[in-house]
């Protein structure tokens, strides 16, 4: 984690092994050290795009109707 302007951020490293066997020790050790559960793997361009999309989908926070500040904007959601 890191703190910026009185906000705490969790930073996670998600390595992608491109064209390497699954699992690859170096990819898995980077993922573990970076707070992730496992590395991602791709053998071609389509799989690489899917892996990058997965990382971005996990990183983008959206507000949900649960009374919590899911998107970290300093205020809880407003359910209607």
């Amino acid at each position: 984690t890191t703190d910026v302007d009185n906000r705490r951020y969790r930073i996670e490293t998600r390595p992608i092994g491109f064209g390497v066997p699954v699992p690859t020790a170096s990819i898995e050790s980077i993922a573990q050290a970076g707070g992730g559960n496992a590395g991602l793997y791709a053998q071609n361009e389509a799989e690489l795009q899917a892996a990058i999309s997965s990382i971005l989908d996990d990183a983008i926070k959206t507000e949900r109707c649960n009374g919590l500040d899911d998107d970290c904007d300093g205020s809880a959601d407003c359910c209607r």
Side-chain angles (χ1 to χ4, degrees), residues 1 11 13 25 28 31 47 52-53 64:
T1 60
I11 299 173
T13 300
E28 295 304 316
E47 290 177 2
I52 293 169
S53 292
R64 289 179 266 156

Side-chain angles (χ1 to χ4, degrees), residues 18-67:
F18 187 73
V20 298
V22 180
T24 295
S26 60
I27 298 296
E28 295 304 316
S29 64
I30 292 168
Q32 292 294 317
N37 293 327
L40 300 172
Y41 294 88
Q43 300 303 317
N44 55 51
E45 184 178 349
E47 290 177 2
L48 181 59
Q49 288 175 340
I52 293 169
S53 292
S54 171
I55 292 169
L56 293 175
D57 287 344
D58 289 344
I60 298 171
K61 302 294 183 202
T62 56
E63 201 70 80
R64 289 179 266 156
C65 187
N66 60 6

Side-chain angles (χ1 to χ4, degrees), residues 6 15-16 18 28 35 41 45 54 67 70 72 77 80:
N6 296 319
I16 301 172
F18 187 73
E28 295 304 316
Y41 294 88
E45 184 178 349
S54 171
D70 299 304
C72 303
D77 55 6
R80 297 175 197 190

